[in-house]
Amino acid sequence: MSEAEQQQVIYVVDDDEAMRDSMQWLLEGEGYAVACFESGEHFLAAHHDGMRGCLVLDVRMPEMSGLELHEHLADLGSALPVIFVTGHGDVPMAVAALQRGACDFIEKPFHNEDLLGRIRRALAVDCQNASRRKRADAITQRLEQLTQREREVMNLVVEGKLNKQIADELEISMKTVEAHRARVMDKMGARTLAELVRAVMQTSTAE
């Protein structure tokens, strides 16, 4: 198990104590770290930005429903993949939740292997999200090293402007543009214009 996988936790939110106990027994038996909560409110009280893993969430609960918790997490900017557990009549709601960013849903009663397969996929999504955030953070740190003028030059380069056009727009010499451009490429760790464009696009997407 990699370091990233060791940081991952399966969060189970279900008001049914027997279901929570059953899932905890199953998941811990597979070697996963598990944290169970009896309500959406309890989970929100424990939620923090650094959470890794996935959330197995019952749709129907008293007080705050699973769908309401999902909406709260979306408002908080949570990237934790969510698997909804539904009864047959809840499938339309679960499909709507998928359209709002949920990772998956599974109908009761379900086979353990089916649930485990969905959890493995959700954890893979979590790893991809974490890698994306890590790359975006690294690029953001590089961007912070740029001077104001270097950032202006970079933005115009990314827009596809030629050195002469940039020089005219910023009212500086071509030689100065070339010097700024070279420093931008160096500070951003970009070997080609395409790499620079991808890096800038990635930070804007992460935001």
Side-chain angles (χ1 to χ4, degrees), residues 8 11 35 42 52 108 119 122 133 141 157 168 178 191:
Q8 292 179 314
Y11 300 97
H42 281 91
R52 292 285 317 280
K108 302 174 187 174
I119 284 175
R133 287 193 299 271
Q141 289 176 2
V157 167
D168 290 343
E178 291 166 0
R191 293 165 299 177

Side-chain angles (χ1 to χ4, degrees), residues 174-194:
M174 283 265 290
K175 189 171 182 179
T176 302
V177 171
E178 291 166 0
H180 283 313
R181 185 168 178 160
R183 283 196 292 273
V184 166
M185 298 294 281
D186 180 55
K187 289 182 179 181
M188 293 299 294
R191 293 165 299 177
T192 66
L193 177 57

Side-chain angles (χ1 to χ4, degrees), residues 63-111:
E63 305 297 330
M64 183 186 296
S65 72
L67 296 172
E68 289 171 331
L69 173 57
H70 185 226
E71 289 174 1
H72 276 292
L73 292 173
D75 290 341
L76 292 172
S78 171
L80 199 64
V82 175
I83 301 171
F84 277 107
V85 178
T86 75
H88 179 68
D90 300 326
V91 169
M93 286 190 292
V95 171
L98 289 181
Q99 295 170 341
R100 292 195 297 271
C103 181
D104 205 345
F105 74 90
I106 187 169
E107 287 185 79
K108 302 174 187 174
F110 50 78
H111 294 294

